[in-house]
Structures are given as structure tokens and as C-alpha cells.
């Protein structure tokens, strides 16, 4: 029986401002990557997110990003590899403290936004993330299949979960279509479900322009910030399980 993890970015509010469908997602996802206070989140949001996930039996990971709250961490920044190591160690260490205080265990690191894409392309930056993961006890890494993050994890002896996307379109070369491209985001739930099934069952996804592209992954990202995010997550989980796909974290809490 094929098995897939369903993960979501989590705890991306700030102060009095909520963001995303965190509470409603907990019945569908099996792991969460919690914002660590730089691109989003704060101490109270981090603590609340951790406690919610642990109560729901959802595996907890860190979602560190660039110090870019105004741009939500999605803008490129000129940080070098040493900067990235310190940024990931600082943010993930803070989240790990909240997890330990709540009696849980931090499982993985998934860089956010522009940091995620930079680390996928730059082995120096990916190695910096892996170095922080080793320093924090050997945390697993989430990232795109076949990129620098995967190579860095393997080199450091860390577990790695290759990540695919349920609601983002793929180009024929296997990369994600930019959000500014027509059809880049699957707004229709049936398309996101069909893509999830293709990835989980056959290791491939539809490509923009026709045909399929290989996507061999262990986890699927479900974005929690859309207007129908919780509904889509529930639909995908039910559809996968109905098709005989087991839904579980790679490292059960």
C-alpha cells in the first residue's frame, strides 16, 4: 500500500492577526511546519501552534525563513551560507524549546519561501541548513526531490522527505510553475485531488502543456492560506484513503 504524508505550513499569524486555516486543517494533515517568528509568527503563535499539533497527533517541524515579515519571506535576500546557518539555528532552536516545553519532539526543518528555493539551488546554503539540523539533534529535512537540500541531507546523514505539491502546477522539466503564470495554482479542488492521486499512486504529476512529469515524493504540501484550504485538505485526504493510499507522517509523533 502506498503511503504519503500530508503537510501544511502552520502558525503564520502574528499577534492579534490570524492567518490560514490552522485549526481546521488539523483533522486532515499528518505533519506541520510552524513559522518561527521571522517571516511570520511570534512567541505566542508558536506556542499555540505547537500545542495544537501535539494534541492532534500531528508531527511538528520548523519553518524558518528570511527576516522579511513585510514580504512574507518570499523575496530573495543576499544572505550568505553562514547567515543562513545562524538564521535556521536561531529560529528552529526557539521553536524546539516550545516543543520540548510541551512534552513533544521536533521532527523536521522545512525552509520557507525564498529560502526554500535558494537552498534547493545552492549546495552551500543547503549545507548550512543541514548543519543546523545536525546541531539540533539530527532533524529531518523537507525539500524538493533531487535538489541541493536532498544532497545536503544525504551527505550529513539526515532523514529527508522529498516534497510535492497538491495545488501547484508543474512544468515539463519538473519544476513548479511560477505563481504569476496562468494555471500555476489549482483553484479547482478536483484538479488538486487528481494531481495528489497521480503523485501518490504513480509518482508523476500532470505538466502544464500536456503529458506527465516524474514526481517521486514522500510528502505533499497543502497550502493553508486559501479561502477553501480546509475543505480542500479534507477532500484530498478522503480521496487518497478511498483510493487505498495510507496517509501518515514519515516519523510518527
Amino acid at each position: 500500500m502506498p503511503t504519503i504524508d500530508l503537510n501544511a505550513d502552520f502558525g503564520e499569524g502574528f499577534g492579534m492577526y490570524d492567518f490560514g486555516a490552522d485549526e481546521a486543517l488539523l483533522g486532515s494533515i499528518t505533519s506541520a511546519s510552524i513559522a518561527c517568528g521571522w517571516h511570520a509568527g511570534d512567541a505566542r503563535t508558536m506556542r499555540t501552534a505547537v500545542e495544537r499539533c501535539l494534541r492532534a497527533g500531528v508531527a511538528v517541524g520548523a519553518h524558518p525563513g528570511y527576516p522579511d515579515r513585510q514580504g512574507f519571506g518570499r523575496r530573495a535576500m543576499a544572505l550568505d551560507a553562514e547567515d543562513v546557518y545562524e538564521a535556521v539555528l536561531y529560529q528552529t532552536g526557539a521553536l524546539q524549546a516550545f516543543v520540548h516545553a510541551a512534552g513533544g519532539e521536533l521532527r523536521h526543518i522545512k525552509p520557507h519561501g525564498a529560502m526554500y528555493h535558494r537552498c534547493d539551488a545552492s549546495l552551500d546554503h543547503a549545507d548550512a541548513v543541514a548543519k543546523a539540523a545536525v546541531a539540533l539533534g539530527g532533524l529531518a529535512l523537507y525539500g524538493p526531490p533531487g535538489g541541493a537540500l536532498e544532497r545536503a541531507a544525504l551527505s550529513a546523514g539526515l532523514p529527508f522527505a522529498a516534497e510535492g505539491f497538491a495545488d501547484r502546477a508543474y512544468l515539463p522539466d519538473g519544476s513548479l510553475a511560477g505563481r504569476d503564470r496562468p494555471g500555476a495554482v489549482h483553484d479547482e479542488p478536483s484538479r488538486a485531488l487528481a494531481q495528489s492521486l497521480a503523485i501518490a499512486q504513480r509518482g508523476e504529476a500532470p505538466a502544464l502543456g500536456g503529458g506527465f512529469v516524474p514526481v517521486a515524493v514522500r510528502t505533499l504540501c497543502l497550502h493553508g492560506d486559501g479561502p477553501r484550504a480546509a475543505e480542500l485538505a479534507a477532500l484530498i485526504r478522503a480521496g487518497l484513503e478511498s483510493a487505498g493510499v495510507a496517509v501518515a507522517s514519515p516519523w510518527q509523533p
Side-chain angles (χ1 to χ4, degrees):
M1 175 185 293
T3 301
I4 197 80
D5 173 48
L6 296 181
N7 82 79
D9 301 344
F10 211 83
E12 292 184 311
F14 177 73
M16 63 182 289
Y17 301 103
D18 288 328
F19 184 78
D22 285 2
E23 190 72 33
L25 286 169
L26 287 172
S28 301
I29 62 174
T30 47
S31 65
S33 303
I34 298 176
C36 302
W38 277 21
H39 78 278
D42 58 20
R44 180 65 56 83
T45 304
M46 291 161 69
R47 176 185 169 191
T48 300
V50 165
E51 292 173 351
R52 284 176 171 176
C53 288
L54 294 179
R55 283 196 301 268
V58 170
V60 177
H63 202 34
Y66 287 149
D68 178 28
R69 191 178 295 277
Q70 186 176 7
F72 198 62
R74 289 178 173 164
R75 300 182 294 190
M77 300 186 72
L79 274 65
D80 62 22
E82 187 174 5
D83 294 328
V84 170
Y85 167 71
E86 293 163 350
V88 173
L89 186 68
Y90 178 87
Q91 293 176 78
T92 306
L95 183 71
Q96 191 176 60
F98 282 109
V99 176
H100 286 175
E105 182 179 350
L106 191 65
R107 302 287 176 166
H108 71 266
I109 297 173
K110 173 186 167 182
H112 167 79
M115 181 186 283
Y116 181 93
H117 296 297
R118 177 63 173 152
C119 290
D120 181 48
S122 166
L123 188 55
D124 285 345
H125 286 221
D127 282 339
V129 176
K131 180 182 175 183
V134 169
L136 292 165
L139 301 175
L141 299 184
Y142 278 25
L149 271 170
E150 182 170 8
R151 296 197 299 275
L154 294 175
S155 177
L158 297 170
F160 181 78
E163 181 182 46
F165 290 83
D167 59 355
R168 293 288 305 278
Y170 285 85
L171 297 175
D173 66 358
S175 63
L176 291 176
R179 287 178 177 270
D180 57 346
R181 184 167 180 157
V185 178
H186 297 326
D187 295 319
E188 175 54 49
S190 62
R191 291 183 64 197
L193 175 57
Q195 179 159 300
S196 299
L197 288 168
I199 291 173
Q201 294 180 309
R202 305 193 304 274
E204 62 182 16
L208 278 181
F212 287 83
V213 60
V215 181
V217 299
R218 295 177 66 189
T219 184
L220 279 175
C221 178
L222 307 179
H223 289 104
D225 54 352
R228 301 171 65 186
E231 175 188 343
L232 178 59
L235 175 72
I236 289 174
R237 175 149 190 175
L240 288 169
E241 291 178 333
S242 295
V245 178
V247 179
S249 167
W251 16 86
Q252 292 290 350

